[in-house]
Amino acid sequence: MEYLHTMIRISDIDESLNFFCECLGMKEVNRYESEQGRFTLIFLASSSDEQKARENRTPLLELTYNWPTESEEPETYTGGRNFGHLAYRVENIYETCQRLMDMGITINRPPRDGHMAFIKSPDGISIELLQKGDSLGPAEPWKSMENEGSW
């Protein structure tokens, strides 16, 4: 068995691409639009997996946007269509969380342990950030920071 991709539904392409590409540093490697099916599929890869993803189309994150009709608003997906979470390994959990906070991203579960944090996508998908290698030593402001919202 070979892992291919994880698909999540999105309600706003621009907002989601800003979050995943600008904030998290992912790269768009492929896009498919179906006029007949009225959907757009956008495939993203982490920066460290970009070359492999372009060659093998794996591992990828698939963003699925279902086109609204002219009289509809874009669909918003809530808990019933969600799943657990996505997880990504980062070089420095503290630097990553600080950069995300500086970009206006809420850190729902701060990296108090120097190892793990949670954030959410614009559509409420939980994303776990894990420190690469050994956990970093506890440090402020992280070790005193409370959880915010759900994760």
Side-chain angles (χ1 to χ4, degrees):
M1 185 176 342
E2 180 182 8
Y3 173 78
L4 298 177
H5 65 264
T6 297
M7 183 276 276
I8 60 173
R9 297 183 190 282
I10 61 171
S11 58
D12 185 301
I13 290 176
D14 293 335
E15 185 177 35
S16 294
L17 287 177
N18 181 65
F19 177 82
F20 286 104
C21 296
E22 297 301 321
C23 296
L24 294 182
M26 297 185 83
K27 307 291 184 190
E28 182 174 336
V29 296
N30 194 21
R31 186 181 290 223
Y32 173 76
E33 295 192 352
S34 172
E35 188 79 35
Q36 182 178 5
R38 302 190 50 74
F39 64 84
T40 301
L41 305 179
I42 303 167
F43 294 90
L44 306 178
S46 67
S47 56
S48 63
D49 289 328
E50 183 180 3
Q51 184 62 35
K52 181 180 177 185
R54 289 188 186 282
E55 293 170 2
N56 302 319
R57 296 187 180 230
T58 183
L60 296 167
L61 174 62
E62 174 189 326
L63 305 180
T64 297
Y65 176 72
N66 294 301
W67 303 352
T69 64
E70 292 177 21
S71 63
E72 293 176 327
E73 292 292 319
E75 189 168 351
T76 301
Y77 299 98
T78 57
R81 303 284 312 261
N82 292 3
F83 61 96
H85 63 266
L86 302 172
Y88 296 97
R89 185 176 298 125
V90 298
E91 290 293 326
N92 184 304
I93 192 83
Y94 296 143
E95 290 175 5
T96 299
C97 287
Q98 185 62 59
R99 182 176 55 79
L100 291 170
M101 283 179 59
D102 292 346
M103 297 174 91
I105 304 298
T106 299
I107 308 300
N108 300 101
R109 192 276 192 196
R112 290 182 292 275
D113 56 4
H115 181 71
M116 177 182 66
F118 274 88
I119 60 174
K120 283 191 175 182
S121 77
D123 291 291
I125 303 295
S126 291
I127 299 173
E128 180 181 23
L129 304 172
L130 295 168
Q131 173 61 41
K132 183 176 183 178
D134 294 335
S135 298
L136 301 180
E140 292 296 348
W142 311 107
K143 74 177 189 177
S144 299
M145 200 178 277
E146 297 291 323
N147 291 345
E148 187 170 333
S150 64
W151 45 278

